[in-house]
Amino acid sequence: MNVSLALAGNPNSGKTTVFNALTGGDQYVGNWAGVTVEKKTGHLKTNKSVDITDLPGIYALSPYSPEEIVSHDFLMGKGNEKPDVILDIVDASNIERNLYLTTQLAETGIPLIIVLNMMDIVERHGDRLDAKKLSEALGVPVFEASALREQGIATAAERAVEIGSVKHKPYHARINVKFSETTQAALKAIIDVASANMPKTRPQIHFAIDLFERNGTAQSELGLSGLQMESIERIITDCEKALGDDSESIIAKERYDFIAWVLDTCYIKSERENFSDKIDRVVTNRFLALPIFAAVMFLVYYISVATVGAIGTNWVNDVLFGEWIPAALEKGLTAINAASWLHSLIVDGIVAGVGAVLGFLPQMAVLFLLLSLLEDCGYMSRIAFILDRVFRKFGLSGKSFIPFLVSTGCGVPGIMAARPIEDESQRRITIISTTFMPCSAKLPIIAMIAGGLFGNSAGVAFSAYLAGIASIILSGLILKGFKKLKVSQMPFVMELPSYHAPRALNIFRHTWNQLKAFIIKAGTIIFAASVIIWLLSNFGFENGTFGMVDSEHSILSYIGRVIAPIFIPLGFGSWQMAVATITGLAAKENVVSTLSVLFSASSGMASHGNIDTVLSSHLSAAAAYSFLLFNLLCAPCIAAISAASRELGSKKWTAFAIAYQTGFAYVISFLVYTVWSAIS
Amino acid sequence: MNIGTIVVIFIIVLLLALVVVYLVKQKRAGRCASCPYYNNCGKSSQCDDEGLR
């Protein structure tokens, strides 16, 4: 018999870590709220007949924001899916707020098991939480766990499977929130009015509370008549008058009263200031926060691009792809007597193209390792809090920072991470501007320019990151001026997770996932693109006949020369740079591989060194930086464009986004090139 | 054209064909071929349903 378990809980309570531990999966885990925006399904690794669904984190069971709708609909059994048991993942270090959702989950009638996650943090804070007493007070099974250490989760899952295997489950929810007498009377009266319309799939109290809170979904789901709605409205209004508050606040307050009563029996909070609070006093300080953030990010780029990462990249570029592999291939091709044009295709095309991209792997590895460290220990979520103050002035909110942060890996999930932003205009602005952040595919371009023209300068690499943030801020300011993007400021509430020592497995998994994808892309898209670019740059018409020609007379040079004039005002009007920019639309790494293939044959890269050094003889510093900026800020790759199109939900908005990004990149690059050239 | 040249051309064409097959498979699986997150992007339920993980 198949058993379906749902992992529900507050954002950042550790659901995805539990999911990975139970399924053996490697879903992306982030130490901030809002990582999961869609449900994910897997099988229990010890029992394949058990389905486990990881739901997006929610604070309450209300169907408003997109991720709340996903969780709400799944738990309500919409779309023919309904879990047999809910594993409620509770962040024990924030138990009061987490239990609010628990009380709501219990009312769904689905058997519930509480997993008290992060018990190690509770202990570290000096707090005391008695799981046995909590279980007695709530009337549901409670298991202590630490998802990070994979402790206690398997036992909770076993119990959940046991409960889920029982065919005819009675309503398991025994958490009876003790509402005040007035509220109870109102709820009972609502049940009396609407009981005939209430399906047997859920307890009547669940529908009654939904109606009491004037939840429109419940009203339409039950198909109540106008007369019934009038009676219910009268009941609610009378109760509101009696208690002097609105119905939603009454329910919320009484739930928290109940939680306080429960916690009185089992929870003792330590009075001492905890470790996270001490750190936060410095890193979120009104004046120190931004300089600390800038210093931290500079250090990250200094280590990854200028020092440690550069050592690895120089070796891969100069020795591995510069000497060993070309020499070995040349030797092999000569031995089998392969045609000379094949030598060129393999060495100047494939090895130059794929090698140019893979050469930056060591820098990427160090960069992602450091970013994962900052993320996993909890620092990155503070940045959202810090930047909220800045973003707010420019039509964005701190919530937008999460998409921007995710976009440093890849724009596609970054765009999707904009879903929890409630304000439609803010969400659109975030989607349009999130790909300004330098993603992993753009890192080779940054490293190429920083390495070739600025002596591996960490400042140039760091400035690319700053340019991304500055463009986002500037775009917020520009875009909120559009009539259809009028922003209504919503309060930004974000939970700051406790700092914890980064877990090596999490960091390596995150870094490896990024690198693996990069290697796969180099071996597939970049490989194919390098072959195509080599063919187009080595074949063409000369003296009326088609055949192998000098790259200046190739098909690609003709195409490039048509496009190139557009880029003359930006300082990089050669056909090679124009072609590289266009191929970047398929995948941004293509910019580097295309240049490498094009210059490999024409400039004799082997005798001059790598692509970055060849570039220095081709571009001025101003033109190179303008080229870098344009490729960082213009329309992203096709994958990100289609993700934006899906999330914006309209072709018109997608076209606007592409036009805006490209136009913005053009203007900024033009200004930078003009001013830089004038000064120098 | 000698045998060495033919063998090398064959290998390159074979590799290109494999790349095309891989990209088509990725596309059918609902994954973005150039997204480094693959099944970590939050849309992996589709991949799970199709047993692709």
Side-chain angles (χ1 to χ4, degrees):
Chain A
M1 178 191 168
N2 266 355
V3 177
S4 166
L5 309 182
L7 301 180
N10 280 194
N12 207 35
S13 60
K15 292 176 296 303
T16 305
T17 311
V18 172
F19 179 83
N20 285 342
L22 291 176
T23 60
D26 60 350
Q27 294 292 331
Y28 178 44
V29 178
N31 192 9
W32 65 73
V35 176
T36 310
V37 288
E38 276 206 10
K39 66 183 164 67
K40 290 172 284 206
T41 311
H43 303 293
L44 188 63
K45 61 181 171 191
T46 53
N47 184 353
K48 296 287 173 209
S49 65
V50 178
D51 294 333
I52 302 178
T53 305
D54 180 21
L55 296 171
I58 46 174
Y59 291 108
L61 206 53
S62 46
Y64 299 121
S65 65
E67 76 275 20
E68 280 177 353
I69 294 169
V70 171
S71 295
H72 178 271
D73 287 358
F74 183 74
L75 295 170
M76 294 303 122
K78 291 181 184 170
N80 299 325
E81 296 174 296
K82 193 175 180 181
D84 295 305
V85 181
I86 299 172
L87 274 170
D88 177 19
I89 313 299
V90 167
D91 171 4
S93 62
N94 280 305
I95 190 151
E96 193 178 2
R97 188 188 22 71
N98 276 246
L99 285 183
Y100 186 89
L101 176 69
T102 305
T103 60
Q104 290 184 316
L105 292 174
E107 282 154 11
T108 62
I110 303 167
L112 183 74
I113 285 182
I114 293 175
V115 178
L116 281 181
N117 193 20
M118 306 190 195
M119 281 300 281
D120 45 338
I121 296 174
V122 172
E123 282 164 26
R124 209 184 319 136
H125 287 178
D127 303 341
R128 271 190 298 164
L129 178 59
D130 190 326
K132 205 170 156 221
K133 283 187 182 162
L134 180 67
S135 173
E136 282 165 11
L138 291 173
V140 293
V142 176
F143 291 86
E144 288 185 35
S146 170
L148 270 178
R149 294 175 188 168
E150 296 194 10
Q151 289 167 350
I153 302 163
T155 325
E158 274 169 31
R159 182 78 184 110
V161 174
E162 251 176 63
I163 294 172
S165 306
V166 179
K167 247 188 176 177
H168 300 288
K169 291 178 268 296
Y171 281 140
H172 188 80
R174 282 183 285 158
I175 301 177
N176 290 316
V177 177
K178 291 178 181 63
F179 291 112
S180 66
E181 278 181 22
T182 318
T183 311
Q184 277 190 45
L187 293 172
K188 191 175 174 309
I190 291 174
I191 292 173
D192 289 343
V193 173
S195 61
N197 299 59
M198 293 177 179
K200 300 269 180 279
T201 49
R202 269 174 269 159
Q204 291 181 328
I205 187 75
H206 173 80
F207 292 109
I209 293 173
D210 270 2
L211 289 168
F212 186 77
E213 289 179 317
R214 297 192 179 90
N215 179 340
T217 321
Q219 288 171 14
S220 57
E221 193 183 340
L222 297 180
L224 298 171
S225 68
L227 211 62
Q228 283 173 305
M229 280 313 298
E230 265 177 42
S231 306
I232 289 170
E233 187 54 40
R234 231 183 350 262
I235 296 165
I236 300 169
T237 318
D238 288 348
C239 184
E240 286 176 330
K241 268 186 199 157
L243 295 174
D245 214 338
D246 66 277
S247 64
E248 260 189 302
S249 306
I250 292 169
I251 293 289
K253 184 185 170 297
E254 294 188 8
R255 277 191 203 279
Y256 274 117
D257 288 347
F258 170 73
I259 292 165
W261 173 80
V262 167
L263 291 179
D264 262 353
T265 64
C266 60
Y267 183 55
I268 302 167
K269 193 163 174 57
S270 162
E271 291 299 315
R272 71 168 199 248
E273 188 183 37
N274 66 45
F275 178 63
S276 289
D277 294 338
K278 280 180 197 162
I279 300 176
D280 277 343
R281 262 197 294 144
V282 181
V283 299
T284 61
N285 176 284
R286 199 175 171 77
F287 304 105
L288 292 176
L290 282 175
I292 289 176
F293 172 55
V296 166
M297 290 318 294
F298 179 81
L299 198 66
V300 164
Y301 276 91
Y302 179 73
I303 296 171
S304 56
V305 177
T307 53
V308 181
I311 296 168
T313 288
N314 287 344
W315 183 83
V316 175
N317 277 338
D318 299 342
V319 183
L320 190 66
F321 286 109
E323 293 171 16
W324 294 0
I325 292 178
L329 284 170
E330 283 282 7
K331 207 173 155 190
L333 290 167
T334 310
I336 59 167
N337 205 19
S340 62
W341 64 269
L342 262 181
H343 286 237
S344 172
L345 169 62
I346 291 173
V347 177
D348 302 331
I350 298 169
V351 174
V354 176
V357 172
L358 283 182
F360 297 102
L361 208 61
Q363 284 172 318
M364 284 185 65
V366 180
L367 179 70
F368 283 112
L369 201 70
L370 294 174
L371 288 179
S372 299
L373 264 171
L374 291 177
E375 209 183 287
D376 205 52
C377 73
Y379 177 68
M380 278 304 192
S381 54
R382 266 77 186 172
I383 309 303
F385 171 73
I386 295 162
L387 288 179
D388 181 51
R389 232 177 335 133
V390 183
F391 281 176
R392 192 162 284 276
K393 292 180 184 142
F394 302 99
L396 295 160
S397 88
K399 261 194 179 175
S400 307
F401 183 72
I402 292 162
F404 300 151
L405 186 59
V406 177
S407 291
T408 55
C410 172
V412 175
I415 288 164
M416 286 170 61
R419 284 185 190 178
I421 299 170
E422 294 92 351
D423 182 77
E424 188 65 21
S425 296
Q426 250 175 17
R427 207 170 69 84
R428 282 186 180 140
I429 295 175
T430 305
I431 291 171
I432 293 169
S433 54
T434 194
T435 50
F436 287 151
M437 289 306 282
C439 67
S440 59
K442 289 173 187 169
L443 190 75
I445 312 176
I446 299 170
M448 176 181 74
I449 298 294
L453 287 113
F454 300 96
N456 267 334
S457 158
V460 169
F462 176 59
S463 73
Y465 191 80
L466 281 190
I469 295 183
S471 301
I472 285 164
I473 290 175
L474 194 56
S475 293
L477 201 65
I478 297 168
L479 292 172
K480 79 172 182 177
F482 284 80
K483 226 182 195 173
K484 290 200 169 170
L485 288 171
K486 272 273 170 278
V487 173
S488 53
Q489 280 300 350
M490 311 273 265
F492 173 54
V493 181
M494 187 185 176
E495 179 192 337
L496 296 182
S498 298
Y499 288 102
H500 63 74
R503 194 176 171 228
L505 189 67
N506 249 355
I507 290 166
F508 285 117
R509 183 188 277 161
H510 191 191
T511 308
W512 169 239
N513 276 338
Q514 304 259 17
L515 296 182
K516 185 176 75 180
F518 190 75
I519 295 166
I520 290 172
K521 211 153 111 182
T524 52
I525 295 175
I526 308 300
F527 165 73
S530 299
V531 173
I532 294 166
I533 295 291
W534 183 88
L535 289 172
L536 290 175
S537 63
N538 279 277
F539 284 85
F541 291 93
E542 206 169 22
N543 303 325
T545 51
F546 184 76
M548 267 193 95
V549 292
D550 180 72
S551 67
E552 289 297 322
H553 299 99
S554 65
I555 300 169
L556 205 59
S557 78
Y558 284 110
I559 300 170
R561 283 192 179 102
V562 174
I563 311 160
I566 303 170
F567 300 112
I568 291 172
L570 310 189
F572 54 92
S574 71
W575 69 267
Q576 290 96 334
M577 306 309 278
V579 166
T581 303
I582 300 300
T583 56
L585 284 176
K588 288 288 170 185
E589 296 93 329
N590 268 339
V591 173
V592 173
S593 61
T594 301
L595 286 177
S596 188
V597 175
L598 293 180
F599 287 125
S600 187
S602 62
S603 309
M605 222 161 72
S607 58
H608 285 78
N610 297 309
I611 175 63
D612 46 4
T613 45
V614 172
L615 265 188
S616 60
S617 60
H618 198 81
L619 289 174
S620 66
Y625 200 77
S626 159
F627 177 75
L628 171 64
L629 278 180
F630 186 80
N631 280 287
L632 287 185
L633 304 176
C634 73
C637 66
I638 286 168
I641 291 174
S642 59
S645 171
R646 269 199 311 270
E647 298 298 311
L648 287 167
S650 120
K651 281 183 186 156
K652 229 158 71 179
W653 275 111
T654 310
F656 173 78
I658 296 170
Y660 174 78
Q661 289 156 342
T662 311
F664 181 83
Y666 196 91
V667 171
I668 296 294
S669 305
F670 172 72
L671 290 175
V672 168
Y673 174 68
T674 311
V675 173
W676 191 322
S677 303
I679 294 169
S680 58
Chain B
M1 204 180 277
N2 64 50
I3 187 78
T5 303
I6 293 168
V7 169
V8 176
I9 292 172
F10 176 74
I11 292 170
I12 293 172
V13 171
L14 187 71
L15 288 173
L16 284 174
L18 284 174
V19 169
V20 173
V21 170
Y22 170 80
L23 293 177
V24 170
K25 261 186 149 180
Q26 289 279 73
K27 192 77 194 155
R28 285 202 184 144
R31 296 177 195 168
C32 304
S34 52
C35 168
Y37 282 77
Y38 289 85
N39 52 8
N40 297 304
C41 72
K43 290 188 80 78
S44 63
S45 50
Q46 202 176 338
C47 302
D48 286 319
D49 294 343
E50 294 172 28
L52 292 165
R53 269 163 53 82

